[in-house]
Amino acid sequence: MKLLVTGGAGYVGSVVAAQLVEAGHQVTVLDDLSTGHADAVPEGARFVEGSITDPGPIEGFDAVLHFAAKSLVGESVQEPARYWRANLGGTLALLDAMRGSGVGRIVFSSTAAVYGEPEETPIPESAPPRPANPYGATKLAVDTALTAFAELYGLAAVSLRYFNVAGAYGRFRERHAPETHLIPNVLKVALGEREEVSVFGADYPTKDGTCVRDYVHVTDLATAHLLALDAAEPGTHKIYNLGNGTGFSVKEVIDVCRAVTGHPIPAVVAPRRDGDPAVLVASSEKIQRELGWKPEHAALETIVSDAWTALR
Ligand code: UFG
């Protein structure tokens, strides 16, 4: 297929673009490089530096895989308008361009952040969405627009709600500045780039007092996009959670990083970070049942060691 990958110079977008090229698709990456890196665009993909707010004519594409977004929870609380403009405004412009050019299929990167503080664990797609921050609210607004566009215009849409994406696919890895995510920050200590890692809160109602998250390997996450692309149906908006279904605490993650790197990785308890739910674990039963997705790299050791290998 001829595919447009927005945000394909970013972490998840570059891994999916690489897998699409390997699967024989004709891939064009559209990225404004505001947070992405030109050298993350995989070989074999065409690169267009530009914004989703002004994508120009996009006739001829069979589908769009839409990753381009602002994605930091903390930043979204500081600058909500920027998040609404980029994530909702940008996506509406992209949807207009798609409609104007007769492109009728989209796979969208949604997030666990749409659920906010969950009432049940693991979280099913039927859980009431109650985002606790502007980032989650903007992603939920796009999901709502996709449902409407499917009904109104016959769009074929699939939203994938990511939990905690981690790991690397060969050389394609996480490169955020500033880095806020747990696993890369812990590995920076092992690399000697940081003195210690902060544990944001050790008084949560969890097994060891630290927050529990569901870490999914970026390679498995990418595979789900290829399945979603095939499963998209005109007039329908399908929504799937993507996680491993197993929760690991911050302390457990640090222990696995110590074992993988052989570094003592000093950790200090710091105050809680605003907006962090105690436990976020996905039920991915729906995508497993409907699309036959299966996490192949579910072990946290594999996730961490792939991230570690790509960093060095
Ligand atoms: N944490 C630390 N120290 C750090 C970094 C993180 O203790 O240096 C803790 C956090 O407080 C949290 C856990 O590690 O409890 C995981 O934090 P991340 O920042 O790695 O990931 P989040 O769970 O905050 O965020 C992820 C995605 C978001 C998405 C969210 C869904 O990165 O895009 O899940 O709630 F919105």
Side-chain angles (χ1 to χ4, degrees):
M1 279 191 266
K2 197 173 167 204
L3 303 170
L4 181 66
V5 179
T6 75
Y11 172 41
V12 179
S14 65
V15 173
V16 175
Q19 286 199 4
L20 291 168
V21 169
E22 281 160 29
H25 295 290
Q26 213 182 317
V27 174
T28 297
V29 165
L30 174 69
D31 198 301
D32 66 3
L33 299 183
S34 57
T35 53
H37 307 270
D39 63 4
V41 175
E43 278 166 27
R46 181 173 151 251
F47 176 49
V48 176
E49 186 174 342
S51 168
I52 52 169
T53 54
D54 184 18
I58 53 170
E59 276 90 5
F61 285 103
D62 298 302
V64 175
L65 294 105
H66 178 33
F67 301 92
K70 306 213 65 65
S71 65
L72 296 177
V73 170
E75 188 182 63
S76 80
V77 176
Q78 304 301 322
E79 301 181 74
R82 221 172 125 207
Y83 272 67
W84 283 103
R85 195 182 320 112
N87 292 0
L88 180 60
T91 304
L92 290 176
L94 180 67
L95 289 173
D96 279 345
M98 287 173 64
R99 209 151 51 84
S101 307
V103 182
R105 195 186 321 192
I106 187 167
V107 177
F108 172 63
S109 304
S110 189
T111 171
V114 301
Y115 295 113
E117 188 75 50
E119 276 171 12
E120 57 178 313
T121 296
I123 306 173
E125 291 81 356
S126 55
R130 279 194 291 255
N133 51 62
Y135 168 62
T138 62
K139 289 282 182 172
L140 178 61
V142 172
D143 278 347
T144 307
L146 291 176
T147 303
F149 275 52
E151 282 172 16
L152 292 166
Y153 305 117
L155 183 69
V158 180
S159 289
L160 299 176
R161 290 184 171 164
Y162 308 166
F163 282 63
N164 287 62
V165 190
Y169 181 61
R171 71 177 182 92
F172 300 99
R173 63 176 174 88
E174 226 168 327
R175 275 195 281 165
H176 300 114
E179 187 53 74
T180 62
H181 293 130
L182 179 64
I183 292 176
N185 273 344
V186 178
L187 293 179
K188 274 176 193 283
V189 180
L191 269 184
E193 289 180 12
R194 292 174 65 130
E195 290 285 299
E196 60 193 21
V197 64
S198 299
V199 175
F200 297 141
D203 56 351
Y204 284 96
T206 59
K207 45 192 165 186
D208 59 19
T210 65
C211 287
V212 169
R213 294 289 182 272
D214 181 335
Y215 296 89
V216 55
H217 198 298
V218 69
T219 305
D220 287 332
L221 188 91
T223 309
H225 290 73
L226 277 77
L227 296 171
L229 192 60
D230 288 338
E233 282 174 38
T236 307
H237 179 208
K238 300 179 182 180
I239 297 177
Y240 298 106
N241 287 343
L242 268 182
N244 272 326
T246 309
F248 290 94
S249 73
V250 171
K251 277 189 181 160
E252 288 172 332
V253 169
I254 296 171
D255 280 341
V256 169
C257 292
R258 286 177 178 139
V260 166
T261 62
H263 188 285
I265 310 185
V268 289
V269 174
R272 288 183 176 196
R273 192 172 68 176
D274 275 352
D276 272 346
V279 179
L280 273 181
V281 176
S283 165
S284 298
E285 194 267 326
K286 186 178 171 196
I287 191 164
Q288 302 207 22
R289 181 170 30 89
E290 292 189 7
L291 306 194
W293 179 72
K294 243 181 86 177
E296 304 278 347
H297 311 273
L300 189 56
E301 286 74 11
T302 311
I303 295 175
V304 168
S305 71
D306 288 354
W308 180 235
T309 305
L311 261 183
R312 291 183 310 146

